[in-house]
């Protein structure tokens, strides 16, 4: 189980490193467009 957690953290870290625009993305515009 701990190996799965470490692998998940590794994938998140690599993704954050390779795609910094994902960290900079602002989702407030999307939330304002939703009805309700």
């Amino acid at each position: 189980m701990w190996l799965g957690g470490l692998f998940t953290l590794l994938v998140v870290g690599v993704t954050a490193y390779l795609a910094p625009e994902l960290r900079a993305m602002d989702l407030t515009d999307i939330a304002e467009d939703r009805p309700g």
Side-chain angles (χ1 to χ4, degrees):
M1 185 184 308
W2 61 268
L3 187 60
L6 287 177
F7 185 72
T8 300
L9 291 176
L10 178 67
V11 169
V12 168
V14 169
T15 302
Y17 178 75
L18 294 178
E21 63 272 8
L22 289 177
R23 289 184 288 146
M25 190 166 53
D26 185 15
L27 298 177
T28 55
D29 294 336
I30 295 172
E32 291 172 357
D33 291 340
R34 296 179 77 188

